[in-house]
Amino acid sequence: HSPALAACYFGVLDAMLAVHAGRMLALPHQLLMNVGRHLASAIEHYDLAAGRAALETTYHFARCTVLNGGNGGMTPPGATVLVEGMLRQVALAVLGDRLHPELLDPPAANALIALIAAAPGCWQSIVHELLQLQPEASAREPAASAFAALLTANEVTASLTKPNRLRFRANLVELLKFTRASRFIVPQLSR
């Protein structure tokens, strides 16, 4: 697939999310899974334009999910599966240093905070799984503290406001310094 065509495709999805968020979240399960596969493929592709567009679209999907839940709406099951799958994809790509460096800040960081806000239980499961992968029990406690600081240091909240996203990005830099210095084990991405 052409990276330029992928970037245009994600631009169309963004426009549709901006105008018809509820309808986009309620798309049939299989269609949302196809969207998720396209997003994941573009993030892994290592093309800047396609990767940036995919991460921005991921942010918008997660943001719409958060807003839908905040307005008392029930998130459709397909949208929940999409958001949780993208959370795993983006988290492992960020933590495993598998993204082009220019995609980390801001597109990947923005997508990650929105995905965490949209699926906090899934995030807790991912962190738990990652901690259990560490071979030494003594390494788990400092890692757990570093992951907790991602969402609490610098007064970070679940808000998607720009000042909060900036604080989250600063916390993410600190988490990545920790995971790289401690040789934190992150599994390979799987489709």
Side-chain angles (χ1 to χ4, degrees), residues 10-109:
F10 298 131
V12 168
L13 288 176
D14 280 344
M16 291 170 65
L17 282 164
V19 178
H20 300 291
R23 289 181 182 168
M24 290 294 291
L25 294 176
L27 286 172
H29 178 81
Q30 191 57 45
L31 186 56
L32 285 172
M33 295 308 93
N34 286 337
V35 168
R37 281 191 285 280
H38 291 293
L39 291 168
S41 177
I43 291 168
E44 293 174 20
H45 190 270
Y46 215 73
D47 176 80
L48 283 175
R52 180 174 285 110
L55 288 163
E56 289 170 355
T57 299
T58 299
Y59 168 79
H60 290 121
F61 260 107
R63 181 179 173 276
C64 287
T65 303
V66 169
L67 293 174
N68 186 61
N71 292 332
M74 292 291 296
T75 302
T80 299
V81 172
L82 171 67
V83 167
E84 289 177 352
M86 290 311 300
L87 175 52
R88 177 171 293 285
Q89 183 80 23
V90 172
L92 295 180
V94 168
L95 294 168
D97 200 22
R98 295 182 188 103
L99 286 177
H100 190 288
E102 290 182 34
L103 294 179
L104 185 59
D105 189 10

Side-chain angles (χ1 to χ4, degrees), residues 35-187:
V35 168
R37 281 191 285 280
H38 291 293
L39 291 168
S41 177
I43 291 168
E44 293 174 20
H45 190 270
Y46 215 73
D47 176 80
L48 283 175
R52 180 174 285 110
L55 288 163
E56 289 170 355
T57 299
T58 299
Y59 168 79
H60 290 121
F61 260 107
R63 181 179 173 276
C64 287
T65 303
V66 169
L67 293 174
N68 186 61
N71 292 332
M74 292 291 296
T75 302
T80 299
V81 172
L82 171 67
V83 167
E84 289 177 352
M86 290 311 300
L87 175 52
R88 177 171 293 285
Q89 183 80 23
V90 172
L92 295 180
V94 168
L95 294 168
D97 200 22
R98 295 182 188 103
L99 286 177
H100 190 288
E102 290 182 34
L103 294 179
L104 185 59
D105 189 10
N110 285 345
L112 187 58
I113 189 174
L115 290 163
I116 292 170
C122 180
W123 172 248
Q124 292 301 325
S125 295
I126 292 168
V127 170
H128 178 75
E129 288 174 32
L130 290 172
L131 293 175
Q132 296 308 309
L133 285 175
Q134 306 318 301
E136 297 177 24
S138 62
R140 292 181 191 139
E141 188 174 321
S145 295
F147 277 97
L150 175 67
L151 300 176
T152 58
N154 296 318
E155 300 177 19
V156 167
T157 66
S159 166
L160 298 180
T161 63
K162 187 172 184 173
N164 193 61
R165 291 192 324 253
L166 290 170
R167 292 189 300 267
F168 176 84
R169 293 195 311 245
N171 291 355
L172 182 58
V173 167
E174 293 305 312
L175 175 63
L176 293 177
K177 285 180 188 175
F178 171 83
T179 58
R180 290 175 181 142
S182 65
R183 299 184 188 268
F184 193 78
I185 296 171
V186 179

